[in-house]
Amino acid sequence: MKEQRLIIEMAQGVDLHGRDDTKAARRAVEQALQGASLPIFGTLGLERDVMRVVVHIGVPRPEAGDVDVIAALVPYGSVDVVCESGGLDVPVAGDVAVMAVAALEVFLPVR
């Protein structure tokens, strides 16, 4: 099925004290979701479940990112999560804050 990307939403999230890549990624995705509004479904007469969402996560330790936890944050459609090397470990007063970045791509079928 042919599809077209209609939106890209980006954000960042931080875990200040836990050194938890998944927590930072979760916060980045939640922030991106708060900035995304898709009123196009009513206009096109489509159900939200037809969308495909690809979530790209950049964290310092991609293997530590729990893709199931991240995918569960997206309320509609089929979701693919890709954890990639990125983000930052930021030294903060004897601790490390983990910064994650997220990019959400939303694809809809082309009729």
PDB file of all heavy atoms in Angstrom, residues 21-27 29 33 55-57 59 64-74 79-83 102 104:
ATOM      1  N   ASP A  21      17.867   5.688  30.099  1.00  0.00           N
ATOM      2  CA  ASP A  21      17.635   6.085  28.708  1.00  0.00           C
ATOM      3  C   ASP A  21      16.155   5.968  28.327  1.00  0.00           C
ATOM      4  O   ASP A  21      15.636   6.811  27.599  1.00  0.00           O
ATOM      5  CB  ASP A  21      18.486   5.225  27.774  1.00  0.00           C
ATOM      6  CG  ASP A  21      19.969   5.534  27.883  1.00  0.00           C
ATOM      7  OD1 ASP A  21      20.492   5.656  29.003  1.00  0.00           O
ATOM      8  OD2 ASP A  21      20.614   5.649  26.841  1.00  0.00           O
ATOM      9  N   THR A  22      15.486   4.928  28.810  1.00  0.00           N
ATOM     10  CA  THR A  22      14.065   4.748  28.480  1.00  0.00           C
ATOM     11  C   THR A  22      13.219   5.870  29.076  1.00  0.00           C
ATOM     12  O   THR A  22      12.308   6.380  28.421  1.00  0.00           O
ATOM     13  CB  THR A  22      13.560   3.374  28.957  1.00  0.00           C
ATOM     14  OG1 THR A  22      14.308   2.355  28.298  1.00  0.00           O
ATOM     15  CG2 THR A  22      12.083   3.188  28.667  1.00  0.00           C
ATOM     16  N   LYS A  23      13.519   6.262  30.297  1.00  0.00           N
ATOM     17  CA  LYS A  23      12.755   7.341  30.931  1.00  0.00           C
ATOM     18  C   LYS A  23      12.935   8.653  30.157  1.00  0.00           C
ATOM     19  O   LYS A  23      11.967   9.383  29.917  1.00  0.00           O
ATOM     20  CB  LYS A  23      13.200   7.514  32.380  1.00  0.00           C
ATOM     21  CG  LYS A  23      12.362   8.482  33.179  1.00  0.00           C
ATOM     22  CD  LYS A  23      12.800   8.458  34.640  1.00  0.00           C
ATOM     23  CE  LYS A  23      11.919   9.290  35.522  1.00  0.00           C
ATOM     24  NZ  LYS A  23      12.363   9.229  36.930  1.00  0.00           N
ATOM     25  N   ALA A  24      14.154   8.951  29.754  1.00  0.00           N
ATOM     26  CA  ALA A  24      14.405  10.160  28.968  1.00  0.00           C
ATOM     27  C   ALA A  24      13.690  10.077  27.614  1.00  0.00           C
ATOM     28  O   ALA A  24      13.074  11.043  27.163  1.00  0.00           O
ATOM     29  CB  ALA A  24      15.903  10.362  28.776  1.00  0.00           C
ATOM     30  N   ALA A  25      13.729   8.901  26.982  1.00  0.00           N
ATOM     31  CA  ALA A  25      13.053   8.706  25.693  1.00  0.00           C
ATOM     32  C   ALA A  25      11.546   8.843  25.841  1.00  0.00           C
ATOM     33  O   ALA A  25      10.880   9.452  25.001  1.00  0.00           O
ATOM     34  CB  ALA A  25      13.413   7.335  25.121  1.00  0.00           C
ATOM     35  N   ARG A  26      11.005   8.277  26.918  1.00  0.00           N
ATOM     36  CA  ARG A  26       9.564   8.372  27.168  1.00  0.00           C
ATOM     37  C   ARG A  26       9.152   9.842  27.294  1.00  0.00           C
ATOM     38  O   ARG A  26       8.146  10.275  26.722  1.00  0.00           O
ATOM     39  CB  ARG A  26       9.217   7.591  28.432  1.00  0.00           C
ATOM     40  CG  ARG A  26       7.735   7.537  28.737  1.00  0.00           C
ATOM     41  CD  ARG A  26       7.426   6.647  29.926  1.00  0.00           C
ATOM     42  NE  ARG A  26       8.269   6.830  31.080  1.00  0.00           N
ATOM     43  CZ  ARG A  26       8.144   7.816  31.977  1.00  0.00           C
ATOM     44  NH1 ARG A  26       7.188   8.710  31.850  1.00  0.00           N
ATOM     45  NH2 ARG A  26       8.968   7.900  33.000  1.00  0.00           N
ATOM     46  N   ARG A  27       9.937  10.602  28.006  1.00  0.00           N
ATOM     47  CA  ARG A  27       9.623  12.024  28.176  1.00  0.00           C
ATOM     48  C   ARG A  27       9.714  12.780  26.853  1.00  0.00           C
ATOM     49  O   ARG A  27       8.922  13.694  26.590  1.00  0.00           O
ATOM     50  CB  ARG A  27      10.552  12.642  29.222  1.00  0.00           C
ATOM     51  CG  ARG A  27      10.204  12.175  30.618  1.00  0.00           C
ATOM     52  CD  ARG A  27      11.104  12.750  31.666  1.00  0.00           C
ATOM     53  NE  ARG A  27      10.618  12.380  32.998  1.00  0.00           N
ATOM     54  CZ  ARG A  27      11.271  12.613  34.116  1.00  0.00           C
ATOM     55  NH1 ARG A  27      12.446  13.211  34.081  1.00  0.00           N
ATOM     56  NH2 ARG A  27      10.754  12.244  35.268  1.00  0.00           N
ATOM     57  N   VAL A  29       9.111  11.490  23.838  1.00  0.00           N
ATOM     58  CA  VAL A  29       7.937  11.110  23.050  1.00  0.00           C
ATOM     59  C   VAL A  29       6.688  11.788  23.595  1.00  0.00           C
ATOM     60  O   VAL A  29       5.863  12.299  22.827  1.00  0.00           O
ATOM     61  CB  VAL A  29       7.779   9.575  23.006  1.00  0.00           C
ATOM     62  CG1 VAL A  29       6.442   9.172  22.389  1.00  0.00           C
ATOM     63  CG2 VAL A  29       8.932   8.950  22.241  1.00  0.00           C
ATOM     64  N   LEU A  33       4.252  14.233  21.483  1.00  0.00           N
ATOM     65  CA  LEU A  33       2.815  13.981  21.354  1.00  0.00           C
ATOM     66  C   LEU A  33       1.988  15.182  21.796  1.00  0.00           C
ATOM     67  O   LEU A  33       0.933  15.463  21.223  1.00  0.00           O
ATOM     68  CB  LEU A  33       2.413  12.743  22.157  1.00  0.00           C
ATOM     69  CG  LEU A  33       2.867  11.406  21.580  1.00  0.00           C
ATOM     70  CD1 LEU A  33       2.626  10.291  22.593  1.00  0.00           C
ATOM     71  CD2 LEU A  33       2.173  11.115  20.266  1.00  0.00           C
ATOM     72  N   VAL A  55       8.653   6.018  15.372  1.00  0.00           N
ATOM     73  CA  VAL A  55       9.263   6.801  16.436  1.00  0.00           C
ATOM     74  C   VAL A  55      10.765   6.548  16.391  1.00  0.00           C
ATOM     75  O   VAL A  55      11.214   5.427  16.610  1.00  0.00           O
ATOM     76  CB  VAL A  55       8.703   6.409  17.819  1.00  0.00           C
ATOM     77  CG1 VAL A  55       9.361   7.231  18.911  1.00  0.00           C
ATOM     78  CG2 VAL A  55       7.186   6.563  17.856  1.00  0.00           C
ATOM     79  N   HIS A  56      11.514   7.602  16.100  1.00  0.00           N
ATOM     80  CA  HIS A  56      12.980   7.519  16.129  1.00  0.00           C
ATOM     81  C   HIS A  56      13.435   8.108  17.457  1.00  0.00           C
ATOM     82  O   HIS A  56      13.065   9.236  17.795  1.00  0.00           O
ATOM     83  CB  HIS A  56      13.598   8.332  14.983  1.00  0.00           C
ATOM     84  CG  HIS A  56      13.238   7.825  13.635  1.00  0.00           C
ATOM     85  ND1 HIS A  56      13.951   6.832  13.001  1.00  0.00           N
ATOM     86  CD2 HIS A  56      12.239   8.167  12.790  1.00  0.00           C
ATOM     87  CE1 HIS A  56      13.410   6.593  11.828  1.00  0.00           C
ATOM     88  NE2 HIS A  56      12.359   7.390  11.678  1.00  0.00           N
ATOM     89  N   ILE A  57      14.219   7.346  18.187  1.00  0.00           N
ATOM     90  CA  ILE A  57      14.734   7.789  19.479  1.00  0.00           C
ATOM     91  C   ILE A  57      16.253   7.816  19.412  1.00  0.00           C
ATOM     92  O   ILE A  57      16.875   6.835  18.998  1.00  0.00           O
ATOM     93  CB  ILE A  57      14.315   6.815  20.606  1.00  0.00           C
ATOM     94  CG1 ILE A  57      12.796   6.782  20.745  1.00  0.00           C
ATOM     95  CG2 ILE A  57      14.978   7.181  21.925  1.00  0.00           C
ATOM     96  CD1 ILE A  57      12.181   8.065  21.231  1.00  0.00           C
ATOM     97  N   VAL A  59      19.353   8.051  21.921  1.00  0.00           N
ATOM     98  CA  VAL A  59      19.786   7.977  23.316  1.00  0.00           C
ATOM     99  C   VAL A  59      21.243   7.508  23.351  1.00  0.00           C
ATOM    100  O   VAL A  59      21.705   6.846  22.417  1.00  0.00           O
ATOM    101  CB  VAL A  59      18.910   7.022  24.164  1.00  0.00           C
ATOM    102  CG1 VAL A  59      17.548   7.614  24.434  1.00  0.00           C
ATOM    103  CG2 VAL A  59      18.777   5.664  23.511  1.00  0.00           C
ATOM    104  N   ALA A  64      19.647   0.057  25.558  1.00  0.00           N
ATOM    105  CA  ALA A  64      18.957   0.191  26.846  1.00  0.00           C
ATOM    106  C   ALA A  64      17.539   0.742  26.684  1.00  0.00           C
ATOM    107  O   ALA A  64      16.771   0.750  27.648  1.00  0.00           O
ATOM    108  CB  ALA A  64      19.756   1.100  27.786  1.00  0.00           C
ATOM    109  N   GLY A  65      17.199   1.189  25.497  1.00  0.00           N
ATOM    110  CA  GLY A  65      15.856   1.742  25.274  1.00  0.00           C
ATOM    111  C   GLY A  65      14.824   0.632  25.152  1.00  0.00           C
ATOM    112  O   GLY A  65      14.972  -0.281  24.353  1.00  0.00           O
ATOM    113  N   ASP A  66      13.791   0.687  25.963  1.00  0.00           N
ATOM    114  CA  ASP A  66      12.717  -0.307  25.943  1.00  0.00           C
ATOM    115  C   ASP A  66      11.682   0.109  24.898  1.00  0.00           C
ATOM    116  O   ASP A  66      10.828   0.958  25.155  1.00  0.00           O
ATOM    117  CB  ASP A  66      12.088  -0.424  27.325  1.00  0.00           C
ATOM    118  CG  ASP A  66      11.101  -1.570  27.435  1.00  0.00           C
ATOM    119  OD1 ASP A  66      10.483  -1.943  26.410  1.00  0.00           O
ATOM    120  OD2 ASP A  66      10.940  -2.098  28.556  1.00  0.00           O
ATOM    121  N   VAL A  67      11.757  -0.501  23.719  1.00  0.00           N
ATOM    122  CA  VAL A  67      10.889  -0.090  22.609  1.00  0.00           C
ATOM    123  C   VAL A  67       9.418  -0.374  22.890  1.00  0.00           C
ATOM    124  O   VAL A  67       8.548   0.348  22.398  1.00  0.00           O
ATOM    125  CB  VAL A  67      11.330  -0.731  21.273  1.00  0.00           C
ATOM    126  CG1 VAL A  67      12.715  -0.234  20.874  1.00  0.00           C
ATOM    127  CG2 VAL A  67      11.302  -2.225  21.330  1.00  0.00           C
ATOM    128  N   ASP A  68       9.106  -1.380  23.694  1.00  0.00           N
ATOM    129  CA  ASP A  68       7.707  -1.666  24.022  1.00  0.00           C
ATOM    130  C   ASP A  68       7.104  -0.564  24.890  1.00  0.00           C
ATOM    131  O   ASP A  68       5.955  -0.163  24.688  1.00  0.00           O
ATOM    132  CB  ASP A  68       7.578  -3.023  24.721  1.00  0.00           C
ATOM    133  CG  ASP A  68       7.935  -4.180  23.797  1.00  0.00           C
ATOM    134  OD1 ASP A  68       7.730  -4.051  22.571  1.00  0.00           O
ATOM    135  OD2 ASP A  68       8.433  -5.204  24.302  1.00  0.00           O
ATOM    136  N   VAL A  69       7.869  -0.065  25.846  1.00  0.00           N
ATOM    137  CA  VAL A  69       7.402   1.035  26.702  1.00  0.00           C
ATOM    138  C   VAL A  69       7.172   2.277  25.861  1.00  0.00           C
ATOM    139  O   VAL A  69       6.161   2.976  26.010  1.00  0.00           O
ATOM    140  CB  VAL A  69       8.424   1.319  27.835  1.00  0.00           C
ATOM    141  CG1 VAL A  69       8.130   2.635  28.533  1.00  0.00           C
ATOM    142  CG2 VAL A  69       8.438   0.172  28.835  1.00  0.00           C
ATOM    143  N   ILE A  70       8.094   2.551  24.960  1.00  0.00           N
ATOM    144  CA  ILE A  70       7.979   3.736  24.116  1.00  0.00           C
ATOM    145  C   ILE A  70       6.797   3.603  23.154  1.00  0.00           C
ATOM    146  O   ILE A  70       6.003   4.528  22.986  1.00  0.00           O
ATOM    147  CB  ILE A  70       9.300   3.977  23.368  1.00  0.00           C
ATOM    148  CG1 ILE A  70      10.407   4.299  24.389  1.00  0.00           C
ATOM    149  CG2 ILE A  70       9.159   5.095  22.349  1.00  0.00           C
ATOM    150  CD1 ILE A  70      11.807   4.197  23.852  1.00  0.00           C
ATOM    151  N   ALA A  71       6.637   2.443  22.515  1.00  0.00           N
ATOM    152  CA  ALA A  71       5.534   2.227  21.571  1.00  0.00           C
ATOM    153  C   ALA A  71       4.176   2.370  22.249  1.00  0.00           C
ATOM    154  O   ALA A  71       3.230   2.877  21.648  1.00  0.00           O
ATOM    155  CB  ALA A  71       5.654   0.855  20.921  1.00  0.00           C
ATOM    156  N   ALA A  72       4.076   1.955  23.500  1.00  0.00           N
ATOM    157  CA  ALA A  72       2.807   2.014  24.226  1.00  0.00           C
ATOM    158  C   ALA A  72       2.330   3.451  24.464  1.00  0.00           C
ATOM    159  O   ALA A  72       1.152   3.671  24.761  1.00  0.00           O
ATOM    160  CB  ALA A  72       2.930   1.271  25.551  1.00  0.00           C
ATOM    161  N   LEU A  73       3.204   4.423  24.317  1.00  0.00           N
ATOM    162  CA  LEU A  73       2.824   5.823  24.515  1.00  0.00           C
ATOM    163  C   LEU A  73       1.998   6.378  23.364  1.00  0.00           C
ATOM    164  O   LEU A  73       1.262   7.346  23.534  1.00  0.00           O
ATOM    165  CB  LEU A  73       4.078   6.688  24.687  1.00  0.00           C
ATOM    166  CG  LEU A  73       4.940   6.387  25.907  1.00  0.00           C
ATOM    167  CD1 LEU A  73       6.251   7.150  25.811  1.00  0.00           C
ATOM    168  CD2 LEU A  73       4.200   6.732  27.181  1.00  0.00           C
ATOM    169  N   VAL A  74       2.112   5.780  22.189  1.00  0.00           N
ATOM    170  CA  VAL A  74       1.411   6.289  21.001  1.00  0.00           C
ATOM    171  C   VAL A  74       0.007   5.697  20.995  1.00  0.00           C
ATOM    172  O   VAL A  74      -0.152   4.477  20.921  1.00  0.00           O
ATOM    173  CB  VAL A  74       2.184   5.930  19.717  1.00  0.00           C
ATOM    174  CG1 VAL A  74       1.447   6.453  18.498  1.00  0.00           C
ATOM    175  CG2 VAL A  74       3.604   6.486  19.783  1.00  0.00           C
ATOM    176  N   VAL A  79       2.708   1.136  15.327  1.00  0.00           N
ATOM    177  CA  VAL A  79       3.862   1.900  15.804  1.00  0.00           C
ATOM    178  C   VAL A  79       5.129   1.074  15.650  1.00  0.00           C
ATOM    179  O   VAL A  79       5.174  -0.081  16.065  1.00  0.00           O
ATOM    180  CB  VAL A  79       3.684   2.303  17.286  1.00  0.00           C
ATOM    181  CG1 VAL A  79       4.871   3.141  17.761  1.00  0.00           C
ATOM    182  CG2 VAL A  79       2.379   3.044  17.496  1.00  0.00           C
ATOM    183  N   ASP A  80       6.138   1.695  15.057  1.00  0.00           N
ATOM    184  CA  ASP A  80       7.479   1.127  14.993  1.00  0.00           C
ATOM    185  C   ASP A  80       8.405   2.067  15.745  1.00  0.00           C
ATOM    186  O   ASP A  80       8.348   3.285  15.541  1.00  0.00           O
ATOM    187  CB  ASP A  80       7.969   1.014  13.546  1.00  0.00           C
ATOM    188  CG  ASP A  80       7.127   0.082  12.708  1.00  0.00           C
ATOM    189  OD1 ASP A  80       6.828  -1.029  13.185  1.00  0.00           O
ATOM    190  OD2 ASP A  80       6.755   0.471  11.588  1.00  0.00           O
ATOM    191  N   VAL A  81       9.256   1.499  16.605  1.00  0.00           N
ATOM    192  CA  VAL A  81      10.209   2.307  17.363  1.00  0.00           C
ATOM    193  C   VAL A  81      11.617   1.909  16.945  1.00  0.00           C
ATOM    194  O   VAL A  81      11.944   0.722  16.920  1.00  0.00           O
ATOM    195  CB  VAL A  81      10.037   2.116  18.882  1.00  0.00           C
ATOM    196  CG1 VAL A  81      11.080   2.921  19.652  1.00  0.00           C
ATOM    197  CG2 VAL A  81       8.635   2.507  19.324  1.00  0.00           C
ATOM    198  N   VAL A  82      12.415   2.914  16.638  1.00  0.00           N
ATOM    199  CA  VAL A  82      13.808   2.701  16.264  1.00  0.00           C
ATOM    200  C   VAL A  82      14.675   3.471  17.254  1.00  0.00           C
ATOM    201  O   VAL A  82      14.603   4.707  17.303  1.00  0.00           O
ATOM    202  CB  VAL A  82      14.083   3.208  14.827  1.00  0.00           C
ATOM    203  CG1 VAL A  82      15.537   2.993  14.455  1.00  0.00           C
ATOM    204  CG2 VAL A  82      13.141   2.552  13.839  1.00  0.00           C
ATOM    205  N   CYS A  83      15.446   2.747  18.060  1.00  0.00           N
ATOM    206  CA  CYS A  83      16.389   3.390  18.985  1.00  0.00           C
ATOM    207  C   CYS A  83      17.744   3.491  18.298  1.00  0.00           C
ATOM    208  O   CYS A  83      18.261   2.496  17.796  1.00  0.00           O
ATOM    209  CB  CYS A  83      16.527   2.596  20.279  1.00  0.00           C
ATOM    210  SG  CYS A  83      15.182   2.813  21.425  1.00  0.00           S
ATOM    211  N   ALA A 102      13.577  12.735  20.233  1.00  0.00           N
ATOM    212  CA  ALA A 102      12.587  11.896  19.555  1.00  0.00           C
ATOM    213  C   ALA A 102      12.088  12.614  18.316  1.00  0.00           C
ATOM    214  O   ALA A 102      11.908  13.829  18.319  1.00  0.00           O
ATOM    215  CB  ALA A 102      11.411  11.602  20.483  1.00  0.00           C
ATOM    216  N   LEU A 104       8.871  11.836  15.668  1.00  0.00           N
ATOM    217  CA  LEU A 104       7.714  11.008  15.336  1.00  0.00           C
ATOM    218  C   LEU A 104       7.286  11.326  13.913  1.00  0.00           C
ATOM    219  O   LEU A 104       7.052  12.490  13.579  1.00  0.00           O
ATOM    220  CB  LEU A 104       6.544  11.287  16.278  1.00  0.00           C
ATOM    221  CG  LEU A 104       6.587  10.657  17.664  1.00  0.00           C
ATOM    222  CD1 LEU A 104       7.727  11.191  18.490  1.00  0.00           C
ATOM    223  CD2 LEU A 104       5.283  10.870  18.363  1.00  0.00           C
TER     224      LEU A 104
END
